[in-house]
Amino acid sequence: MIVTEGLTKSYGKFPAVRDVSMEVRSGEVFGLLGPNGSGKTTTIRMILGLLRPSSGSAAVAGFDCWRESLQVRRRVSYLPGEVRLPGAARGYQLLKYLNALRGGVGLDRAVALAERVMGLDLSKKVRTFSTGMKQKLALAQAFADPVDVLILDEPTSALDPSARNIVLGLVAEARKAGQTVIFSGHVLSEVEQVADRVAIMRRGRLMHVEDMHERRRNLRLLLLRFQGTPPESLPEELQLSVRERNGEVLFLEHRGAVGPLLSWLHSQPVADLAIGTEDLRTLYDRYHGPNAEADAEDRR
Amino acid sequence: MTVLTIARRQLGETRWSLLFSAAAFFGLALLWNWGISEYQFREETPEESPPAAPSAEVNDGDASPTEEPTDDASRRRRRRGRPGPQVYVAFGVPGDRVLGLPPDQTPTLLMQVAMANHPLVFLVVLGWGIGRASAAVAGEIERGTLDLTLSRPVRRSTYMLAQLLAAVVVFGVLGLSIAAGHLVSDQFFRLNEPPSPADYLPMVASLAALGLAVFGYTLPISASDLSRARAGIIGLGITLAGIAALIFARQYEDYEWTADLSVFQYYAPVGITLEGSSEQYTDLSILLGIFAAGGLLALLAFSRRDLPSNSG
């Protein structure tokens, strides 16, 4: 549904986004993670055709995001990270205006979502709304739009816990309805809860894309203490990789089938064993934690 | 339809300011006509001495130095200056059209239209021109509301067209509110040969064209900038430079051409109402041309530019 190839955006000599190539599949929830300044919003704005890529390209449903941005925006609804709404308008008037820009469809659903689900009083002026209420209003509109793609930039940042749950529920509903969702956020547990795949960005680069289903199904971590020296090499067919080696102790990551692993363990002089899994935080910390892996690009 | 939707929102957001400005113009027109009526059909009071002949007022606007104030009325007259048509001459009405005529025969239309040269009218029209243009793009980016519209399926050209349309409505309303004030005045004040509504149209067009021209040259700056204040200051700078060019050209004959660089050179509400010559309509077209060219330049700049986020 969304494809970027070598997408780059530079401001003078400063590269805000560097060589991002990714594919967001139709009907999936794609989490976009990274700290402030990592290039998430710039990438999103290039997808919407609000920013022109310095090089590379982005396309939604086959339409080039810069040259055919109108076609793209017909298919996409966007919730900005920092929602700013004209205060003089009443809630209902604003929804009416936004719907009129999309041909008038979706107003009833937007009103219903705003009033019944989000609990807003649409007869009030927007300037009397709190930040969270404004975000709810914008969310109601985004979820009501009859589009193929929803791009939500930090959609829960100003919301209370119950409203956050409502939003996560609406994201799940959107996926069920076949919509593609880009969910950019900082709350890892939320992204973990809703995303099918997660991309981690760092300093404008796409560092890693993780399939969350695959991860939940197949990823396990093993902490092994051997009687004596652990083996130098591991059988390739087991899909084991060493995360840490410390004397008799090996910390391994396993992504393969369980049967062959158990057989191999049985043949090894293992003194002790712990098997666990990993949350998104651990993955995120590999790129943004205190002991984050640095690569050649970071050292440049 | 999208153009109208966006233009309606733009106008809706400024409706109170626009209503206030229009009401001020309307009220000023009433006051202006009161002054005209007072001049044309002055009712003598026993304390007042008869007014001097109009021709004498031009050469001797103030009381003669040899004249001694004898009572309160004459002291008051000396302080305020004598009522007369010189104020209209100062606002662009040719002297030969009002001076030397008996007051009750002075042409009402020309004296009314001279109001379009009043500094307050200039101030409001220039303020609207610069203010609206700087808010159109830079202001919207600055307050973060441009995303709201442009993340929807709206062409940038449509957005720009809506801004131009809203500007036309604003300056049309301002011009018409003056005309309405003049028209309504006929009901309250005695005026010599009250003009018909159509007579005011050249003045309305001229006033609107001046505002649109100022809007037109400020808009491309706004369309390529991120700061509303910066766009406004540059627009104000161009406007002040235009006034300076006009003064400079009148001071130095060799540099008369600098006047042609000023939009004020092409603004002649009295002349166009008075004569309506092809030259004056050409001037009006130049003002409208500046608006159109500015709109086109703004569109080109806006279509190619990046629209960063409000937090960026």
Side-chain angles (χ1 to χ4, degrees), chain A residues 223-257:
Chain A
L223 189 65
L224 302 176
R225 190 161 59 78
F226 286 84
Q227 290 170 336
T229 314
E232 279 302 313
S233 61
L234 303 167
E236 264 184 37
E237 65 275 14
L238 291 181
Q239 298 182 46
L240 279 168
S241 56
V242 179
R243 280 212 183 167
E244 209 176 314
R245 187 184 283 271
N246 187 6
E248 295 172 345
V249 177
L250 271 188
F251 184 38
L252 302 172
E253 181 181 310
H254 179 243
R255 287 180 182 263

Side-chain angles (χ1 to χ4, degrees), chain A residues 82-156:
Chain A
E82 207 173 318
V83 175
R84 303 275 182 93
L85 306 173
R90 293 180 193 283
Y92 178 76
Q93 287 173 328
L94 190 63
L95 291 182
K96 200 172 162 192
Y97 169 72
L98 292 172
N99 276 279
L101 298 180
R102 209 180 270 286
V105 280
L107 179 60
D108 291 344
R109 180 166 156 75
V111 170
L113 275 174
E115 286 183 336
R116 288 179 220 155
V117 181
M118 303 292 188
L120 297 174
D121 179 356
L122 294 179
S123 65
K124 283 189 175 171
K125 290 210 170 185
V126 171
R127 74 162 67 94
T128 66
F129 285 8
S130 66
T131 310
M133 288 158 89
K134 285 179 193 165
Q135 187 155 15
K136 283 178 182 177
L137 188 66
L139 276 163
Q141 182 55 63
F143 283 111
D145 281 334
V147 291
D148 300 328
V149 180
L150 276 173
I151 298 182
L152 310 174
D153 194 358
E154 298 176 31
T156 58

Side-chain angles (χ1 to χ4, degrees), chain A residues 45-82:
Chain A
R45 294 183 81 83
M46 282 193 279
I47 291 172
L48 283 164
L50 297 174
L51 296 178
R52 185 181 204 160
S54 304
S55 63
S57 65
V60 174
F63 293 102
D64 183 88
C65 290
W66 178 254
R67 289 193 305 274
E68 298 165 297
S69 110
L70 187 72
Q71 296 296 335
V72 168
R73 282 176 285 133
R74 281 204 178 116
R75 289 159 176 80
V76 177
S77 187
Y78 170 57
L79 175 86
E82 207 173 318

Side-chain angles (χ1 to χ4, degrees), chain B residues 212-226:
Chain B
L212 289 172
V214 174
F215 178 87
Y217 61 65
T218 310
L219 190 62
I221 305 158
S222 174
S224 18
D225 209 326
L226 290 175

Side-chain angles (χ1 to χ4, degrees), chain A residues 244-297:
Chain A
E244 209 176 314
R245 187 184 283 271
N246 187 6
E248 295 172 345
V249 177
L250 271 188
F251 184 38
L252 302 172
E253 181 181 310
H254 179 243
R255 287 180 182 263
V258 181
L261 174 72
L262 292 176
S263 305
W264 178 75
L265 287 173
H266 184 66
S267 68
Q268 296 297 311
V270 175
D272 204 356
L273 161 71
I275 299 179
T277 185
E278 185 183 58
D279 62 5
L280 195 52
R281 159 66 59 192
T282 319
L283 178 67
Y284 184 83
D285 282 348
R286 270 163 61 185
Y287 301 97
H288 296 294
N291 302 314
E293 301 162 4
D295 60 13
E297 284 289 321

